[in-house]
Amino acid sequence: MAEKKYLPGNTIMMILKLLDGEDMYGHQIIVALAKKSFDAFNIKTGILYPIMHNLENDGLVTSYRSETEEGKDRKYYRITTSGREHLAKKWDEWLAYTNSVNTIMGGGLRYAVET
């Protein structure tokens, strides 16, 4: 399980990455985060929905309602062009950060080139 202190900044990047593949509703995002992280990232609805609200206010995602086959009304989220740009920027920052940490810890691209 990932420590909670690592979640805030990275959760947004991970949510945007999931939405870059397909539109999703809230519970679907929660399940996908847990499944794709082998249960390292288990967030609750009380955490997710304020994040989604902020992402929507920032123009990084939009939402729409759709009725399921069972007749349930669900709110789906879709990444915007600005969201994709933000994701690309954060992904570049993440790669630089993790490469630096890996280099210090004895791995990473620089370490492989230098040894």
Side-chain angles (χ1 to χ4, degrees):
M1 166 104 25
E3 290 188 48
K4 291 184 183 199
K5 64 184 175 185
Y6 298 124
L7 284 175
N10 299 322
T11 302
I12 291 169
M13 180 176 60
M14 292 184 291
I15 289 169
L16 290 174
K17 180 62 179 170
L18 290 174
L19 294 175
D20 194 37
E22 66 178 301
D23 297 356
M24 300 175 118
Y25 58 93
H27 182 71
Q28 188 178 11
I29 293 169
I30 290 170
V31 169
L33 277 174
K35 183 177 179 182
K36 289 181 178 268
S37 72
F38 302 100
D39 290 322
F41 299 108
N42 285 299
I43 63 172
K44 306 289 183 205
T45 56
I47 299 294
L48 178 68
Y49 288 110
I51 291 171
M52 299 313 295
H53 180 75
N54 289 336
L55 289 174
E56 203 165 5
N57 282 344
D58 293 342
L60 303 179
V61 301
T62 59
S63 65
Y64 62 92
R65 296 213 171 261
S66 183
E67 193 173 297
T68 66
E69 292 177 9
E70 297 85 29
K72 293 182 181 179
D73 185 42
R74 286 202 173 124
K75 185 175 184 178
Y76 284 83
Y77 297 94
R78 174 180 293 148
I79 192 169
T80 63
T81 301
S82 294
R84 282 190 178 86
E85 291 167 358
H86 183 79
L87 174 60
K89 179 182 174 212
K90 291 300 177 185
W91 179 242
D92 287 344
E93 291 172 5
W94 175 255
L95 289 176
Y97 172 77
T98 57
N99 186 49
S100 297
V101 171
N102 287 336
T103 299
I104 291 167
M105 299 306 291
L109 296 175
R110 287 190 193 130
Y111 182 80
V113 170
E114 292 172 0
T115 58

